[in-house]
Amino acid sequence: MKPVAPPRLCACGKIVASGERCQCQIINDRARKARHDRRRPSARQRGYNHEWRKARQEFLKHNPRCAMCGQLANTVDHIIPHKGEDRLFWDKANWQALCAHHHNSAKQREEHRPVQS
Ligand SMILES: [Zn+2]
Ligand SMILES: [Zn+2]
């Protein structure tokens, strides 16, 4: 006969059957995971946005004109869509200054581009 392990007393004060997890642990785990999932992209996003804002300003200082029409540019576009890839994202050779109008049409071009394998 297998000996039955005695129930344990959880830190929250509840008696928990052996081998089972207390409700408080399950709730804690779930809350921690939710916090983690929420925080991870936004914290990364914040750092990324800050770096990008600085880099973009610097780039526009040196490339103040739209690459398409020569008007004053206010956005930096990625010539090859970076699709979240850091290397393409930060490669200045892949950047071009664009005015709002041409930035919008560049975005449209990207969306209509066939998916590459
Ligand atoms: Zn508990
Ligand atoms: Zn333009």
Side-chain angles (χ1 to χ4, degrees):
M1 213 173 94
K2 221 162 75 177
V4 179
R8 62 190 175 82
L9 181 66
C10 176
C12 73
K14 274 198 195 127
I15 306 287
V16 184
S18 164
E20 285 187 21
R21 309 188 67 211
C22 177
Q23 198 60 32
C24 79
Q25 290 180 299
I26 295 168
I27 289 167
N28 268 343
D29 277 3
R30 206 177 290 148
R32 193 183 308 127
K33 190 178 183 310
R35 251 196 327 269
H36 188 68
D37 286 351
R38 246 197 334 266
R39 195 174 44 208
R40 199 171 30 188
S42 66
R44 203 180 143 186
Q45 207 63 37
R46 263 200 305 277
Y48 168 98
N49 281 341
H50 178 68
E51 281 297 299
W52 171 237
R53 234 186 345 260
K54 272 198 314 197
R56 188 185 60 189
Q57 256 168 27
E58 187 67 17
F59 187 80
L60 285 175
K61 213 155 64 184
H62 297 287
N63 306 271
R65 300 279 167 187
C66 173
M68 304 281 181
C69 67
Q71 304 250 32
L72 219 55
N74 55 13
T75 55
V76 173
D77 183 53
H78 290 89
I79 299 165
I80 303 166
H82 56 87
K83 294 191 166 81
E85 205 189 301
D86 279 357
R87 191 181 55 80
L88 272 178
F89 188 94
W90 295 110
D91 182 4
K92 286 198 175 76
N94 190 35
W95 297 1
Q96 62 182 347
L98 289 182
C99 68
H101 170 74
H102 281 110
H103 184 249
N104 285 341
S105 52
K107 287 296 131 215
Q108 240 146 47
R109 184 192 68 215
E110 263 172 45
E111 275 156 28
H112 295 150
R113 187 183 300 227
V115 179
Q116 287 160 356
S117 52

